[in-house]
Amino acid sequence: PNAGLVPEVSHNINAGIMYQKTAIRIELNGFYRKTFNTIYLRTSRFFAQYQNLLEAEIKGVEADFMLTPVKGLTISLNATYQDIINKSKGDKSGTIDDRYYNARLPNIPIYYTNQELRYKLPGSLTNMVNLELWWNAYYTGAFFLSWEQDGIRNKKAQVPAQFIQNTGITISKEGLPLTFSFEVFNLTNTMAHDNFNVQKPGRAFSARLRFYIDNLKLNNKSGD
């Protein structure tokens, strides 16, 4: 716990361009942020605590792509790169010197992507049975658990790069208030970690049956 945290204050500049037609959309955005009282997670061997930095500088770019090549099929991809640099000196970074000045903040991903394929099969083609198939994945690049300047670089603790895939299917039928879904998370059973470098569960399966009650009415007729 840290009862001394104060809110962040940020001055931002954002700029972007977008191209869009019937079946395609491409968007590119750049951003710059000058942040004061930046909240970051300071870690050590035995504890972790959110603390404030005096100042940080953030530069980054985001890209988004969506394509619908045929009816019902959607392909989407987005990617983010962010460079978060400490602009605080001395004890505001938890030290008595300035070795963390102009250093990249630890425990935060530098780049990551998300991608998805989704296909909806029209009910008219399958005897009024609606079928939706999807696959998505996210990639997160490796990043250091603590400050890069500390210790021997090639022996430092890192959160490794991860590429996690999920997939699923949803089935429903016109006129029936039922929907069945089956999902597989971490399809390839890839080793996964959270931002503390703690291993996350592997492959998991989920099945769901939903029943919808719509316009429920209770009729109470006099004399019946």
Side-chain angles (χ1 to χ4, degrees):
N2 186 358
L5 282 178
V6 297
E8 292 184 349
V9 177
S10 183
H11 304 292
N12 307 322
I13 298 175
N14 303 282
I17 56 174
M18 183 175 70
Y19 172 81
Q20 185 169 2
K21 277 197 169 183
T22 304
I24 188 172
R25 188 189 74 198
I26 302 173
E27 189 172 356
L28 184 66
N29 296 291
F31 56 88
Y32 173 84
R33 298 170 187 160
K34 194 76 167 181
T35 307
F36 302 89
N37 300 325
T38 304
I39 296 174
Y40 83 110
L41 184 64
R42 184 186 176 196
T43 61
S44 71
R45 183 176 178 183
F46 300 107
F47 77 96
Q49 184 186 53
Y50 283 99
Q51 297 184 354
N52 287 111
L53 286 174
L54 179 65
E55 188 177 330
E57 185 178 75
I58 306 171
K59 300 174 183 177
V61 63
E62 299 172 326
D64 189 79
F65 172 81
M66 182 174 289
L67 177 67
T68 308
V70 296
K71 184 178 181 180
L73 177 62
T74 302
I75 302 170
S76 60
L77 168 68
N78 63 72
T80 299
Y81 171 83
Q82 57 182 4
D83 196 22
I84 307 177
I85 302 299
N86 172 39
K87 289 295 182 179
S88 300
K89 293 188 175 182
D91 59 0
K92 289 294 183 180
S93 297
T95 64
I96 59 174
D97 55 35
D98 295 336
R99 71 176 184 272
Y100 296 146
Y101 183 72
N102 280 333
R104 179 178 286 135
L105 262 66
N107 201 238
I108 300 175
I110 302 167
Y111 50 90
Y112 47 90
T113 68
N114 295 276
Q115 38 275 317
E116 182 181 67
L117 297 174
R118 186 173 291 271
Y119 182 61
K120 293 182 179 180
L121 190 64
S124 58
L125 299 180
T126 55
N127 194 26
M128 303 307 289
V129 173
N130 299 310
L131 184 66
E132 183 174 3
L133 303 167
W134 59 268
W135 168 91
N136 65 34
Y138 64 87
Y139 173 81
T140 305
F143 56 93
F144 287 111
L145 193 62
S146 57
W147 294 97
E148 294 183 46
Q149 283 78 354
D150 292 342
I152 302 174
R153 186 180 179 88
N154 61 0
K155 294 184 178 180
K156 289 179 58 63
Q158 272 191 319
V159 178
Q162 300 174 75
F163 183 69
I164 308 298
Q165 303 178 64
N166 311 298
T167 189
I169 183 173
T170 300
I171 303 172
S172 62
K173 184 173 176 60
E174 298 290 340
L176 288 179
L178 294 173
T179 299
F180 174 76
S181 299
F182 180 75
E183 300 170 326
V184 183
F185 303 97
N186 197 350
L187 178 64
T188 57
N189 203 30
T190 301
M191 185 77 73
H193 299 81
D194 64 12
N195 278 23
F196 297 94
N197 207 24
V198 175
Q199 185 179 347
K200 296 167 65 176
R203 186 187 295 116
F205 303 91
S206 172
R208 247 182 333 194
L209 182 64
R210 289 183 177 179
F211 179 74
Y212 300 92
I213 299 176
D214 189 26
N215 296 326
L216 181 63
K217 296 180 180 180
L218 298 177
N219 296 320
N220 183 13
K221 297 182 179 180
S222 173
D224 289 349

